[in-house]
């Protein structure tokens, strides 16, 4: 005998019912019985209708009429016209019965748990009756079985317990007498008093298992709307995948902690008789699905991750708890008497406090009951008032693989920590089958994804990028991500989703990643009004794991948000020098926050664009080296200007040419004044350990006095021409000594000098051409010959590449 069960989602429409009948046809050659749920959503609707009636709202009649229509319509689709009338009549009869109860509730404004169970029973009774007729209509010898005839329970309405002795006997007797395929209602039973009961929401799975146990079935198949039991709820974690096999215990634990795909108690009857359970997908019937059996085939540390929302955490604490035997017995005894289900308990070893999680609707009742039980202790201040924390969730990782394998909880909590998910309580079952944690409900989606990645995709990583600044660097960066997307996934196992782009005017967001080919246009045309505050708020409210804020602007205002961004566990990558060359205290605070939060603040492109300057320096220092001297040409613009300033050329013409080629800032004075070089060497000095401020740095300003102030660019050039002579003088003087002019920054003994000076052909700077940068690092190790880092030090292409490299680096760090 095989037992099949089809859930509400599998029978939500007449068309789906038809495909269910098709699926089951191949089973009909052997002994089989099929359990059905109510049509998808019906149980909820029935509860709502009864609520309306209870509230004296006559609208309940409208809703009931709709429910009736839905069922009558199913008959019209599934049954041949000439056979419909008696079935329609039977359904109308049932609906009338239901209407009578609802009318009673409407009149007396009272709805007991008993009447609610009775009302809910109509869902399965209607659906299963209609489906049994649909089978018959196809010429299949089928019979409707109202499970209330055989499933005997206690009177715990809403969650009735099965009396297995009687139930097993009744089921066996029934099946001895009935040869036709039994089409059975899930979810419902009868109490010893003859009342209709239900066995818990989603309980049809359990009904099927009860039949499987009673009949010693060879298999139980739970057919639903997903490809089996998955590593996490696929509605919450897009990358969840099917677990091919797991043990009864693992399935029980996962479902207990929220995996709705199977009702926890379902495993119990199957386990007793070692009946394998298959979870299969009605919408993908050829897919194998999940096998739940006595074994847990291994390999993976854990099998799945699940979560339950609407949790409250109650804590009882005080000196009165210390070493006093029986306190927890009284505590949980009280909750038991109030029928409050405790989902998780965690007690500190000091026994000074006990905290436990329950569902939120029971929280105030639990608090009251406990405070009553412990009223004397509370009065004597041995126990404090019960603390209640709401809006929480429980998240659990489950798997037999974690037994005796240290590191599971480490991996779990480091993934949560890195993503800024705060944990309020932790519990590990003594069976070492699950670790569960209480977190804020607002963090659930992020926590699930982060854990899923940490346990199941540990070699694969999804990064979420939020980019501001869509100038040349920003645009190039987006293009690079676009071009590299496929290779990244293949070679680095990294996926980079650009979730947001913004400039100073507009911003656009898309949680599962923007179209990289059109996002900047889309931002310009359809974007919302941009403010940094709105951007940051939105980014933080999305609460995505592995979030990276990429600042491709040179705005100081943007850097004022860095602290808040890092504090919210979002990493930052930026070529913007404003933060690191601002006050030392700001630079230091940002580094500290990033460290404390376990996120990255990377700015390799602050100095030398894409050249590996800062990383190299840091690697040297980390390995115990010390910086003696840094000598560098750090401005691609100034190097271009001075290496093009050869005999026969006017200085002002060279600057004009540099501007025309796009090598200068819009106003060339921003290059000539040396501030950009000052900021770069300041950052290098700080990386090397000094605490300098920008004001400590003496800069040789190449902008002549008469070229300063509020001038147009043309005026500036006209004025600059008057100084061509002076620059030519300098050049000649250097040339006379066989030297070339270079604009150099030197850091030594904690002091920085920036000056225009001559270098001869023995000097490494002599041959530096074009817009290249060069950095000489003299350290204790690289003493006789300094380490040289040299290459293109300006331009959107190399800078964007450096930004991209930092983003990828974060992907690798967070592994
Ligand atoms: P049915 O109507 O067939 O009883 P349910 O809605 O009760 O179906 O259960 C199936 C749903 O369970 C899926 O659609 C899925 O969203 C949810 N679910 C939660 N956790 C998991 C998980 N770990 N694996 C698969 N599905 C899960
Ligand atoms: N129809 C019931 C419910 O929605 C039982 C089930 O679907 O398993 O809870
Ligand atoms: Mg279900």
């Amino acid at each position: 005998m095989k037992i099949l069960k089809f859930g509400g989602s599998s029978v939500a429409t007449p068309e789906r019912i038809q495909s269910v009948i098709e699926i089951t046809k191949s089973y009909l050659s052997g002994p089989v019985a099929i359990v059905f749920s109510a049509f998808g959503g019906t149980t909820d609707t029935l509860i709502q209708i009864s609520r309306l009636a209870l509230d004296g709202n006559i609208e309940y009649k409208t809703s009931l009429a709709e429910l009736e229509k839905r069922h009558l319509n199913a008959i019209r689709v599934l049954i041949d016209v000439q056979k419909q009338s008696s079935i329609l009549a039977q359904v109308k009869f049932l609906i009338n019965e239901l209407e009578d109860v609802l009318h009673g509730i409407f009149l007396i404004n009272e709805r007991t748990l008993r009447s609610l169970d009775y009302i809910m029973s109509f869902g399965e009774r209607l659906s299963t009756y209609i489906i049994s007729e649909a089978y018959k209509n196809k010429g299949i010898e089928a019979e409707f079985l109202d499970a209330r005839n055989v499933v005997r329970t206690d009177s715990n309405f809403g969650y009735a317990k099965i009396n297995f002795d009687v139930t097993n006997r009744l089921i066996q007797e029934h099946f001895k007498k009935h040869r036709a395929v039994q089409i059975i209602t899930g979810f419902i039973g009868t109490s010893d008093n003859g009342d209709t009961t239900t066995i818990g929401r989603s309980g049809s799975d359990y009904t099927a298992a009860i039949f499987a146990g009673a009949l010693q079935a060879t298999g139980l198949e739970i057919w639903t709307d997903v490809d089996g039991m998955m590593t996490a709820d696929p509605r919450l974690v897009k990358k969840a995948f099917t677990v091919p096999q797991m043990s009864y215990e693992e399935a029980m634990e996962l479902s207990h902690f929220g995996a709705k795909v199977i009702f926890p108690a379902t495993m119990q009857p199957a386990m007793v008789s070692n009946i394998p359970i298959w979870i299969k997908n009605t919408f993908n019937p050829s897919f194998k699905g999940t096998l739940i059996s006595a074994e847990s085939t291994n390999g993976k540390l854990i099998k799945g991750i699940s979560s339950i929302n609407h949790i409250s955490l109650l804590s009882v604490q005080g000196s009165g708890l210390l070493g006093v035997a029986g306190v927890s017995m009284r505590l949980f005894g009280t909750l038991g008497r109030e029928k409050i289900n405790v989902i998780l308990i965690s007690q500190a070893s000091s026994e000074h406090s006990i905290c436990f999680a329950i569902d939120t609707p029971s929280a105030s009742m639990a608090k009251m009951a406990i405070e009553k039980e412990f009223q004397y202790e509370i009065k004597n201040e041995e126990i404090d008032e019960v603390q209640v924390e709401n809006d929480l969730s429980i998240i659990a990782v489950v798997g037999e693989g974690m037994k005796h394998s240290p590191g599971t909880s480490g991996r779990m909590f480091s993934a949560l920590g890195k993503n800024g998910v705060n944990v309020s309580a932790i519990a590990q079952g003594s069976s070492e089958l699950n670790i569960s944690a209480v977190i804020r409900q607002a963090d659930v989606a992020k926590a699930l994804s982060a854990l899923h990645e940490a346990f199941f995709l540990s070699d694969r990583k999804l990064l979420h990028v939020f980019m501001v600044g869509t100038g040349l660097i920003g645009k190039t960066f987006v293009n690079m991500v676009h071009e590299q997307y496929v290779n990244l996934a293949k070679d680095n196992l990294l996926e980079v989703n650009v979730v947001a782009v913004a400039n100073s005017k507009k911003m656009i967001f898309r949680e599962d990643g923007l179209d990289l080919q059109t996002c900047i246009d889309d931002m310009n045309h359809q974007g919302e009004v941009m403010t940094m505050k709105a951007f940051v708020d939105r980014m933080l409210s999305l609460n995505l794991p592995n979030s990276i804020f990429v600042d491709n602007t040179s705005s100081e205002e943007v850097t004022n948000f860095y602290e808040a961004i890092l504090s919210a566990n979002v990493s930052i990558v930026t070529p913007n020098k404003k933060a690191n060359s601002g006050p030392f205290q700001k630079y230091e605070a940002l580094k500290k926050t990033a460290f404390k939060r376990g996120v990255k603040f990377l700015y390799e492109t602050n100095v030398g664009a894409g050249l590996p300057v800062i990383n190299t320096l840091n690697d040297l220092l980390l390995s115990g080296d010390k910086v003696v001297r840094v000598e560098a040409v750090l401005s691609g613009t100034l190097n271009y200007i001075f290496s093009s300033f050869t005999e026969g050329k006017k200085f002002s013409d060279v600057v004009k040419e540099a501007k025309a080629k796009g090598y200068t800032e819009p106003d060339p004075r921003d290059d000539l004044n040396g501030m950009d070089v000052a900021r770069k060497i300041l950052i290098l000095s700080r990386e090397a350990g000094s605490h300098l401020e920008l004001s400590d740095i003496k800069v040789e300003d190449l902008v002549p006095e008469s070229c300063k102030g509020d001038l147009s660019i043309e005026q500036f050039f006209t004025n600059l021409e008057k100084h061509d002579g002076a620059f030519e003088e300098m050049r000649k003087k250097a040339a006379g000594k066989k030297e070339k002019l270079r604009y150099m920054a030197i850091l030594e003994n904690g002091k920085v000098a920036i000056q225009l000076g001559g270098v001869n052909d023995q000097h490494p700077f002599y041959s530096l051409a074009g817009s290249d940068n060069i950095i000489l690092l003299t350290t204790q190790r690289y003493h006789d010959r300094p380490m040289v880092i040299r290459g293109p030090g300006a331009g959107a292409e190399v800078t964007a590449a450096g930004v991209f490299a930092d983003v990828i680096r974060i992907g690798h760090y967070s592994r």
Side-chain angles (χ1 to χ4, degrees), residues 591-659:
K591 296 201 114 181
K592 277 200 177 136
T593 305
F595 181 76
K596 218 166 61 197
R597 290 310 193 162
V599 291
K600 294 290 164 190
F601 174 36
L602 300 185
Y603 41 83
E604 178 58 89
T605 45
N606 274 191
V607 179
L611 297 178
V613 184
I614 291 175
N615 277 312
T616 309
L617 186 59
N618 281 327
D619 286 348
L620 290 175
L621 297 173
L622 271 175
S623 62
D625 205 350
K626 289 218 160 51
V627 173
V628 176
R629 182 180 158 91
V630 178
E631 208 179 341
V633 171
L634 294 171
S635 164
T637 313
L638 291 181
N639 196 57
Y640 178 84
I641 289 172
F642 287 106
S643 53
S644 316
F645 184 32
T646 50
E647 190 163 8
K649 284 196 181 164
K650 282 190 201 155
F651 185 73
S652 58
D653 284 343
V654 175
V655 177
K656 276 182 206 157
E657 185 187 309
K659 177 165 166 52

Side-chain angles (χ1 to χ4, degrees), residues 51-65:
R51 177 83 230 178
L52 288 173
L54 176 63
D55 293 344
N57 188 337
I58 196 76
E59 282 294 314
Y60 82 86
K61 289 196 178 211
T62 324
S63 303
L64 182 65

Side-chain angles (χ1 to χ4, degrees), residues 5 202 205 260:
K5 177 259 169 178
S202 297
D205 301 336
K260 191 189 167 217

Side-chain angles (χ1 to χ4, degrees), residues 389-429:
E389 209 185 324
N390 292 323
D391 301 319
L392 301 172
S393 293
I394 295 179
I395 184 154
V397 304
V398 173
E400 300 201 351
M402 72 172 76
K403 270 182 207 162
H404 321 298
S405 49
T408 314
S409 57
R411 203 191 285 197
M412 174 172 180
F413 294 111
S414 95
L416 294 177
K418 271 184 193 161
N419 284 290
V421 177
N422 195 41
V423 174
S424 315
I426 300 170
Q428 174 165 30

Side-chain angles (χ1 to χ4, degrees), residues 476-488 516-517 797 804:
T476 314
F477 173 78
V478 169
N479 285 341
M480 277 179 189
V481 178
H482 178 235
E483 280 161 17
Q484 291 303 314
Y485 197 88
V486 176
N487 290 337
L488 269 177
L516 296 175
Q517 270 177 303
E797 197 73 23
F804 193 29

Side-chain angles (χ1 to χ4, degrees), residues 449-479:
S449 303
L451 291 178
H452 194 261
E453 206 170 72
F455 284 102
F456 295 108
L457 312 168
S458 48
D459 30 351
R460 199 159 257 288
K461 196 115 257 160
L462 174 62
L463 306 177
H464 295 102
V465 167
F466 299 80
M467 184 185 91
V468 298
T470 56
L472 221 45
I473 298 176
K475 278 201 184 99
T476 314
F477 173 78
V478 169
N479 285 341

Side-chain angles (χ1 to χ4, degrees), residues 789-809:
I789 304 165
R790 172 180 181 162
E797 197 73 23
V798 285
T799 306
V803 171
F804 193 29
D806 273 348
V807 168
I808 306 281
R809 202 162 284 135

